[in-house]
Amino acid sequence: MNRRALRLLAEHPAQVARWCGLSLIRDDIHNDWMRLMITGREDMTLLAHRGSYKTTCLAMSMVIMMLVYPSKNILFLRKTDDDVVEVIRQVKQLIACPAIHTLSEKLYGTAVRLRKSDMFCVVTDCYCPVRGAPQLLGQGTRSSLTGKHADIIITDDIVNLQDRISPVERERIKGVYQELQNIRNPGGRIINTGTPWHPQDAISLMPNILRYDCYTTGLLTQEELQRLRQAMAPSLFAANYELQHIAQEDALLTQPPRYISDASLLRDGIAHVDAAYGGQDYTALTCAKRLGDEVVLLGKLWRKPVDDVMPEILSICNEHLCAPIFVETNGDKGYLARELRREGALVRPYHEQMPKATKIAAYLRKWWPHVTLLEGTDPDYTAQLMDYTPFAAHDDAPDSAACALRLLDKT
């Protein structure tokens, strides 16, 4: 094999993709994804938002794998047979590209061509299998896996909206994924891509997760994100773009959040801290400013005890000139108020008398249509707001937000 061509395929797959006409594939994100798919040794799970070109990267990676691993066979799984046909078609188109012909000629002395193909199967003339399996076989999750074996198993979007709304479908797909462990050959690996839809879906079984939400990749502008938020339910936007699980049924808030980038609007607001002291609770910080009948709000959330994040809390409050900091004394007997004062903060301790669910329902629901979130609000914070029901597992962010809104309501 020509080592330069092999190195180019393995180390610079994004460049190869652009030569094949995939002009939106980028070096800073997609090249890393494809390198892990092509050269990685362990199982991997790539969770990326819709429109991040993860399936395009997957198709390109499968083409390169077929060239650089001519003795290995690939099993490709998607939710339905129709979904599989779409990707197999793209793989065949990429194999026919002049760039792939040129590179394969460098590797083998002659351009690689399709020897056999149909809607679900691709075999090139460089394939030299140890077993009789096709080089690339695609199938939906309802097709039989009995008797199948593969060196490389790839799942793409086998979890979707059906898994969110149907416990039966969730369990079925989890069973399919577990069966793949028996399908892979010794020394083989499983590559997963998709987006999560439910805390107990099959993605909860997948290892080595790499997570790229819509704020991480930079592939979507704020204007595009705002348009998408307005075009779909909050639960769908959270799942598809923020990679978050939020409740749709019985959710207190149904209107999607609005965002603004002007941090100066928050200046001279107030702050509220809902503190955690261990366990599974979160520490939530809410900075808020009332402007007439509207409220600008910045939310931060940490799954850490408040002592571990106190410097960050003070830094954020100082940066936005938000004071005083209101803290509840019911649980800690004034401990947090004393510690914040020791650090020079202006603090207003108070004793909470209103039931949490009543407070959240009264103030968060009342003010939510008038709330605009400042860009930089943690996605986890927003997810807790949108996920809130009286039976939610975590309510630290809604509680903090409701306390801040109650204070502003009084003013």
Side-chain angles (χ1 to χ4, degrees):
M1 282 189 176
N2 183 295
R3 291 187 178 277
R4 290 184 60 189
L6 185 62
R7 188 180 302 114
L8 180 64
L9 288 164
E11 297 183 5
H12 303 285
Q15 179 61 64
V16 177
R18 291 192 292 271
W19 286 340
C20 292
L22 304 175
S23 59
L24 296 177
I25 299 301
R26 289 171 25 177
D27 287 327
D28 58 339
I29 298 175
H30 303 118
N31 198 72
D32 291 341
W33 295 358
M34 289 191 284
R35 282 186 62 187
L36 280 173
M37 292 175 190
I38 296 164
T39 64
R41 296 183 178 275
E42 297 182 344
D43 292 356
M44 66 170 285
T45 304
L46 172 64
L47 303 184
H49 64 83
R50 291 285 296 275
S52 62
Y53 309 111
K54 61 181 182 294
T55 301
T56 302
C57 290
L58 199 55
M60 189 75 247
S61 297
M62 286 193 287
V63 171
I64 294 175
M65 289 175 192
M66 294 168 75
L67 295 180
V68 301
Y69 305 128
S71 63
K72 293 186 177 183
N73 70 304
I74 303 169
L75 176 65
F76 175 62
L77 235 66
R78 293 196 92 189
K79 190 75 160 182
T80 68
D81 287 347
D82 289 342
D83 296 332
V84 172
V85 169
E86 174 188 351
V87 178
I88 295 296
R89 184 185 302 119
Q90 186 175 21
V91 167
K92 291 190 288 187
Q93 290 171 345
L94 289 170
I95 291 174
C97 288
I100 295 300
H101 287 174
T102 300
L103 287 167
S104 61
E105 189 172 359
K106 296 288 186 184
L107 289 177
Y108 298 108
T110 181
V112 166
R113 309 283 180 177
L114 291 176
R115 190 170 71 204
K116 173 186 174 184
S117 72
D118 57 31
M119 291 191 299
F120 301 98
C121 171
V122 177
V123 179
T124 67
D125 54 11
C126 74
Y127 185 44
C128 49
V130 177
R131 306 168 189 85
Q135 189 172 15
L136 170 61
L137 175 65
Q139 63 180 60
T141 56
R142 292 196 177 275
S143 300
S144 174
L145 292 172
T146 304
K148 302 287 193 312
H149 292 281
D151 300 300
I152 301 170
I153 299 172
I154 298 173
T155 74
D156 181 41
D157 287 330
I158 62 171
V159 173
N160 65 12
L161 180 59
Q162 289 178 270
D163 299 75
R164 176 176 176 79
I165 62 180
S166 170
V168 173
E169 180 67 6
R170 283 199 298 274
E171 293 306 311
R172 184 184 77 82
I173 295 299
K174 287 165 79 172
V176 170
Y177 181 74
Q178 289 168 329
E179 178 63 18
L180 296 180
Q181 310 302 321
N182 302 320
I183 300 301
R184 67 164 140 193
N185 291 323
R189 63 192 295 242
I190 300 177
I191 300 168
N192 308 293
T193 69
T195 51
W197 284 89
H198 190 276
Q200 280 79 51
D201 62 28
I203 286 175
S204 65
L205 305 176
M206 297 177 181
N208 302 327
I209 291 178
L210 302 171
R211 195 177 289 267
Y212 291 83
D213 61 31
C214 60
Y215 310 108
T216 303
T217 63
L219 293 169
L220 298 172
T221 65
Q222 289 298 328
E223 291 75 18
E224 289 171 321
L225 290 174
Q226 187 63 25
R227 177 179 57 80
L228 290 166
R229 284 191 192 96
Q230 299 297 333
M232 64 185 71
S235 59
L236 292 181
F237 180 84
N240 282 279
Y241 294 93
E242 296 179 319
L243 310 183
Q244 297 281 350
H245 306 293
I246 67 171
Q248 187 173 15
E249 304 82 7
D250 304 321
L252 181 73
L253 307 179
T254 57
Q255 182 175 318
R258 299 177 297 158
Y259 287 83
I260 195 170
S261 59
D262 188 358
S264 67
L265 296 176
L266 191 62
R267 180 170 179 166
D268 296 326
I270 63 168
H272 179 275
V273 175
D274 186 273
Y277 293 96
Q280 298 299 309
D281 290 335
Y282 292 76
T283 294
L285 167 66
T286 302
C287 295
K289 173 74 178 291
R290 182 171 174 176
L291 303 169
D293 293 331
E294 299 293 317
V295 171
V296 177
L297 185 148
L298 172 69
K300 295 291 184 179
L301 196 66
W302 300 270
R303 196 164 196 167
K304 297 179 180 179
V306 68
D307 295 282
D308 293 349
V309 296
M310 200 176 300
E312 291 179 73
I313 290 173
L314 293 170
S315 175
I316 293 168
C317 292
N318 290 335
E319 177 186 353
H320 296 285
L321 299 180
C322 288
I325 302 174
F326 290 83
V327 294
E328 178 186 315
T329 60
N330 295 43
D332 68 0
K333 309 302 181 185
Y335 165 78
L336 179 57
R338 291 192 297 272
E339 292 301 308
L340 289 171
R341 282 195 181 118
R342 188 171 297 166
E343 297 297 326
L346 179 61
V347 183
R348 291 289 183 270
Y350 68 96
H351 183 79
E352 183 60 75
Q353 296 180 321
M354 183 180 288
K356 184 183 297 187
T358 303
K359 175 177 53 181
I360 294 172
Y363 291 99
L364 185 56
R365 179 163 54 186
K366 171 186 175 180
W367 278 97
W368 184 246
H370 308 282
V371 168
T372 302
L373 299 179
L374 185 64
E375 289 177 8
T377 293
D378 287 343
D380 287 345
Y381 182 99
T382 308
Q384 275 200 16
L385 298 186
M386 303 306 299
D387 198 27
Y388 178 75
T389 73
F391 310 104
H394 298 287
D395 54 16
D396 309 282
D399 187 21
S400 180
C403 289
L405 293 169
R406 178 176 60 181
L407 292 162
L408 295 177
D409 186 84
K410 292 178 180 179
T411 63

